[in-house]
Amino acid sequence: MIRLFVYPFLPYRSFFFPFLVLSAIALPCWLVFRLYRLRTPGHGLSFRREILLLTFVVYLSGLATATLIPNHNSRQAAEAAMGIDLHPSLASLTCSSATLPSGSTARAFCVHNTRGNLFLFFPLGILMPLVWRRLRFFRAIQIAIAVSVSIELVQYLSTAWSNRSADVNDVILNVLGACLGLAIVFLLRLLGGARPAVARI
């Protein structure tokens, strides 16, 4: 039973230690900032909101770890892409067996990369409308696009030492993942008839 929960995360085990290090730096800084903000007039304490904001900071730490630290496992893919790929490809997005033989290493990497990029931004789509309750759907999509493009730009600029490549297909998958998370939150709001409230940071 334990293996069923642990096995899907084994490909990401190399990120655990960097994630812990980054979180150990980001969380104290965030807590100091929040304590300072709470001492200013007009900023009351909401335990639920503080937990939500803390979760968002932890997620951003994980996002930075998963996308920006050097990735030796993708060295061959980065070299093959020559640092940047600006051509959307349905075969790349779907890992089509017509271009990638079933059971091949390239297909396994494609499937792993596709799932990773899709689910990497899924929590972002859920957290954004929870943190900013008046955030509109299409505005949230714009933020997701901006974040994903910024990540790909940094990956392109750091290709020489990070073994990563910039790929427009990654942006598409990231945005699709964010859209899925957003759709779930907004659908639940419609079903529940919730009225958005002002959310301050």
Side-chain angles (χ1 to χ4, degrees):
M1 179 63 70
I2 296 179
R3 292 179 60 185
L4 294 177
F5 291 99
V6 175
Y7 182 76
F9 296 98
L10 289 180
Y12 306 98
R13 60 186 181 276
S14 61
F15 299 117
F16 289 160
F17 181 71
F19 168 69
L20 292 176
V21 172
L22 184 58
S23 297
I25 297 173
L27 292 182
C29 294
W30 173 254
L31 291 175
V32 170
F33 170 74
R34 289 305 295 169
L35 288 173
Y36 172 78
R37 289 282 290 173
L38 290 173
R39 294 186 63 181
T40 59
H43 290 84
L45 176 64
S46 169
F47 182 76
R48 176 181 175 275
R49 177 155 179 79
E50 295 305 320
I51 292 298
L52 185 61
L53 289 172
L54 193 62
T55 301
F56 192 54
V57 172
V58 172
Y59 165 74
L60 292 179
S61 298
L63 181 64
T65 302
T67 58
L68 300 179
I69 69 168
N71 184 9
H72 300 291
N73 294 330
S74 64
R75 176 176 299 176
Q76 292 181 350
E79 292 175 350
M82 299 297 292
I84 188 170
D85 186 357
L86 299 176
H87 303 287
S89 171
L90 183 61
S92 178
L93 293 172
T94 60
C95 300
S96 172
S97 58
T99 56
L100 297 172
S102 180
S104 66
T105 303
R107 180 175 172 79
F109 177 84
C110 179
V111 172
H112 171 70
N113 182 69
T114 299
R115 290 176 178 174
N117 280 295
L118 188 64
F119 290 108
L120 193 62
F121 270 52
F122 178 72
L124 181 66
I126 292 178
L127 289 170
M128 282 194 298
L130 295 180
V131 173
W132 298 286
R133 293 186 60 83
R134 286 199 170 184
L135 185 66
R136 296 185 180 276
F137 187 87
F138 291 105
R139 182 62 173 172
I141 294 178
Q142 291 176 348
I143 295 175
I145 293 174
V147 172
S148 183
V149 170
S150 298
I151 290 173
E152 295 301 317
L153 179 61
V154 173
Q155 289 181 342
Y156 171 69
L157 296 175
S158 63
T159 299
W161 63 273
S162 67
N163 299 317
R164 292 182 177 274
S165 60
D167 190 346
V168 69
N169 297 295
D170 291 349
V171 175
I172 295 174
L173 291 169
N174 290 159
V175 175
L176 286 176
C179 286
L180 181 59
L182 285 166
I184 291 175
V185 174
F186 280 87
L187 179 61
L188 290 176
R189 283 183 178 177
L190 287 175
L191 294 176
R195 294 183 179 179
V198 176
R200 295 182 179 177
I201 295 182

